[in-house]
């Protein structure tokens, strides 16, 4: 089934993923984010210890500024990748916004499972590859900057990982409507 702007006859809501108001889902996603962040921080110290990354204090202020600007820019750029995929599969521009905890790109379209899995995974894969490439192309004393961006990328995508995990086990007949921080999953009744 293709993605559609109207819910097909015979479909009903199966469940709702609400990362804003569902406290259990909120705790799972934020716990996953913290676990990813801690694991990558531990790996950062190992990479520093073995010399793959180096910190040189003479360049640290400039590097820190570049890192912070990159982290701020990353948030809308992550959502832009979601939005590009939403437009590709729906034909219409995504709606963008912020809550106290999340930035989002959403749509009123009902996406099929395959399209929505691509929408969910695209930013972490796209930016993950960019940051990995930078990690190997930059001089050793600059490598920690894209590493921190990668840490931010992976830990910040915990909601996307959660949604992907929930949906990949669902039948191919499902449709997903993601309006931002709430995602309704529909299936044949």
């Amino acid at each position: 089934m293709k993605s559609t702007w109207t819910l097909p006859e015979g479909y009903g809501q199966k469940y709702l993923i609400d990362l804003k108001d569902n406290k259990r889902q909120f705790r799972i996603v934020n716990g996953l984010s913290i676990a990813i962040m801690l694991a990558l921080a531990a790996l950062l110290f190992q990479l520093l210890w073995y010399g793959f990354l180096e910190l040189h204090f003479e360049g640290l202020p400039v590097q820190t500024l570049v890192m912070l600007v990159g982290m701020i820019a990353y948030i809308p750029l992550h959502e832009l990748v979601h939005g590009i995929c939403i437009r590709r599969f729906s034909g219409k521009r995504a709606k963008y916004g912020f809550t106290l905890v999340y930035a989002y790109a959403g749509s009123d379209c009902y996406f099929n499972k395959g399209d929505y899995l691509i929408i969910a995974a695209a930013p972490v894969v796209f930016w993950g590859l960019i940051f990995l490439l930078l990690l190997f192309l930059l001089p050793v004393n600059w490598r920690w900057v894209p590493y921190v961006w990668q840490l931010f990328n992976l830990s910040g995508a915990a909601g996307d990982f959660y949604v992907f995990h929930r949906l990949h086990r669902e039948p191919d007949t499902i449709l997903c409507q993601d309006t931002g921080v709430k995602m309704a999953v529909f299936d044949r009744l």
Side-chain angles (χ1 to χ4, degrees), residues 27-100:
R27 285 191 298 272
I28 289 170
V29 167
N30 286 288
L32 177 60
S33 179
I34 290 168
I36 292 168
M37 194 178 305
L38 291 174
L40 291 175
L43 181 59
L44 173 65
F45 290 112
Q46 290 294 313
L47 293 171
L48 286 166
W49 178 263
Y50 289 108
F52 182 75
L53 305 173
E54 293 178 5
L55 289 175
H56 297 276
F57 293 102
E58 64 275 357
L60 201 55
V62 171
Q63 292 168 347
T64 302
L65 181 62
V66 168
M67 180 206 57
L68 292 173
V69 168
M71 287 173 72
I72 293 167
Y74 169 79
I75 296 168
L77 291 172
H78 175 101
E79 298 308 324
L80 181 64
V81 174
H82 280 309
I84 290 168
C85 291
I86 286 170
R87 184 177 192 117
R88 163 70 178 89
F89 295 121
S90 75
K92 293 187 181 175
R93 187 175 183 272
K95 299 173 190 172
Y96 298 95
F98 292 93
T99 68
L100 287 176

Side-chain angles (χ1 to χ4, degrees), residues 4-13 110 175-177 185-187:
T4 178
W5 284 95
T6 57
L7 190 62
E9 196 170 309
Y11 270 72
Q13 185 173 316
Y110 297 91
L175 294 172
C176 308
Q177 185 183 50
V185 177
F186 299 88
D187 204 353

Side-chain angles (χ1 to χ4, degrees), residues 110-132:
Y110 297 91
F111 295 100
N112 67 46
K113 178 183 172 180
D115 291 352
Y116 194 78
L117 289 176
I118 292 169
I119 291 167
V124 73
V125 171
F126 177 79
W127 291 112
L129 291 172
I130 297 292
F131 299 148
L132 186 64

